[in-house]
């Protein structure tokens, strides 16, 4: 009779593989997982835009009217001191900042809609940190506003506004628009976490947008404002956004380091405030 086949030699198990079987590896947490989750949330938000682009087209109407009517009319009047540049040139960066703010300031309505649809509860039970959810949504609003800014820049160029086409300065413009929009979208999400209602948020949003716009240097320089309005403008993040945009696009004197610093700090504080109130929406 033939002999039975010899048993295969036993291989000593690797202690590390045994430990993995007994105890699965710990998931990445904290700062190691945050960037990937932020990018994922931002991509999800932007994917919604690919299904409906009408918002971008309709929101381009108001900035075009500001430049066509208000800008060209006040260029002829020459009643506002504009550092020796045509008023429509002076106005264009302010309208870019305004159109970006108007997109971001109502971003909290989407959060409330997601809560009503049950999406927010599902997101909050995932391992994704709340700060990543908020940051992703904030920077998605920034990218939407950046697309809007490109539309306004094209309209301004067609109207003869003398804008720079320096690639580095245009990158700076993009960074400023994203930071400013991130702050205003977080402001909207913070208000949403307080009022918990779309109707109340819409009313508050409409109540603060125009004061933010007129209480900044978007339409006129600080020198022509009364003292109390100058004080308001100096604590208004929109003023720092407009100042940086003018300096980058028109080459006027601007405090770029201060502008970038204020907007970065404002965006960080906005993300922290919105993240702390995100759970309140899901109750």
């Amino acid at each position: 009779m033939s002999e039975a086949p010899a048993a295969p030699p036993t291989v000593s198990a690797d202690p590390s593989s045994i430990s993995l079987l007994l105890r699965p590896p710990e998931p990445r947490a904290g700062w190691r997982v945050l960037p990937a989750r932020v990018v994922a949330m931002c991509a999800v938000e932007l994917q919604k835009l690919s299904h409906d682009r009408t918002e971008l087209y309709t929101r381009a109407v108001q900035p075009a009217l500001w430049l066509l009517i208000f800008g060209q009319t006040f260029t002829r009047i020459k009643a506002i001191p504009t550092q020796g540049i045509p008023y429509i040139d002076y106005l264009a960066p302010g309208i870019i900042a305004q159109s970006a703010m108007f997109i971001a300031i109502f971003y909290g309505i989407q959060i409330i809609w997601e809560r009503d649809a049950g999406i927010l509860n599902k997101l909050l039970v995932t391992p994704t940190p709340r700060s990543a959810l908020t940051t992703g949504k904030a920077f998605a609003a920034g990218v939407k506003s950046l697309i809007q800014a490109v539309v306004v820049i094209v309209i301004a160029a067609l109207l003869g506004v003398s804008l720079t086409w320096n690639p580095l300065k245009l990158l700076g413009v993009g960074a400023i628009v994203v930071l400013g929009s991130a702050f205003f979208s977080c402001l909207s999400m913070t208000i949403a976490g307080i009022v918990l209602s779309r109707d109340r948020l819409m009313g508050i949003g409409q109540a603060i947008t125009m004061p933010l716009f007129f209480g900044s240097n978007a339409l006129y320089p600080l020198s022509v404002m009364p003292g109390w309005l100058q004080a308001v403008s100096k604590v208004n993040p929109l003023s720092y956004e407009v100042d940086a945009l003018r300096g980058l696009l028109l080459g006027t004197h601007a405090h770029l380091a201060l502008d970038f610093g204020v907007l970065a700090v404002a965006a960080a504080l906005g993300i922290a405030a919105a993240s702390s109130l995100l759970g309140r929406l899901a109750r």
Side-chain angles (χ1 to χ4, degrees):
M1 295 178 61
S2 60
E3 296 180 358
T10 59
V11 180
S12 59
D14 185 4
S16 62
S17 62
I18 294 177
S19 64
L20 286 176
L21 292 174
L22 297 177
R23 186 185 67 228
E26 296 181 1
R28 292 182 301 168
W31 62 270
R32 293 177 294 175
V33 75
L34 186 61
R37 298 290 169 83
V38 169
V39 172
M41 288 304 306
C42 187
V44 169
E45 291 296 315
L46 293 177
Q47 192 174 14
K48 301 174 185 177
L49 187 62
S50 63
H51 297 296
D52 185 11
R53 298 184 180 90
T54 56
E55 178 184 357
L56 295 178
Y57 305 142
T58 54
R59 288 187 180 275
V61 174
Q62 189 179 43
L65 291 177
W66 273 98
L67 292 173
L68 282 169
I69 300 175
F70 197 84
Q72 291 193 337
T73 300
F74 274 76
T75 298
R76 294 174 178 271
I77 296 175
K78 298 180 180 179
I80 299 177
T82 56
Q83 305 175 15
I85 61 177
Y87 183 73
I88 191 171
D89 292 24
Y90 183 86
L91 179 65
I95 298 305
I96 293 172
Q98 177 222 43
S99 60
M101 180 188 69
F102 280 11
I103 287 178
I105 202 69
F106 293 105
Y107 215 74
I109 295 176
Q110 182 177 339
I111 296 290
I112 296 177
W113 178 85
E114 289 180 354
R115 179 204 63 186
D116 295 341
I119 298 173
L120 184 59
N121 285 329
K122 294 177 181 178
L123 290 174
L124 290 177
V125 298
T126 65
T128 303
R130 293 180 181 180
S131 57
L133 294 173
T134 306
T135 306
K137 290 180 178 295
F139 280 93
V143 175
K144 286 184 179 181
S145 300
L146 187 59
I147 298 172
Q148 181 71 31
V150 171
V151 174
V152 179
I153 288 174
V154 170
I155 294 172
L158 293 175
L159 293 175
V161 176
S162 300
L163 302 174
T164 184
W165 299 107
N166 184 309
L168 291 178
K169 290 186 176 181
L170 290 178
L171 285 175
V173 168
I176 283 292
V177 170
V178 169
L179 284 175
S181 300
F183 165 73
F184 287 115
S185 63
C186 287
L187 175 63
S188 180
M189 288 187 280
T190 301
I191 297 173
I194 296 173
V195 300
L196 306 176
S197 167
R198 274 178 286 184
D199 294 335
R200 292 176 184 173
L201 177 60
M202 180 68 73
I204 294 174
Q206 291 175 342
I208 66 175
T209 48
M210 297 314 290
L212 284 169
F213 179 48
F214 288 110
S216 71
N217 56 354
L219 298 177
Y220 28 69
L222 290 175
S223 58
V224 302
M225 298 180 186
W228 66 269
L229 190 55
Q230 290 184 22
V232 171
S233 181
K234 289 178 180 178
V235 297
N236 184 354
L238 189 65
S239 296
Y240 296 92
E241 183 177 353
V242 173
D243 183 68
L245 291 177
R246 283 204 181 103
L248 292 168
L249 290 172
L250 303 179
T252 58
H253 176 70
H255 308 86
L256 292 179
L258 176 63
D259 297 332
F260 272 99
V262 168
L263 291 175
V265 170
L269 293 176
I271 289 171
S275 300
S276 65
L277 291 171
L278 196 61
R280 190 169 183 266
L281 278 167
R283 293 175 185 171

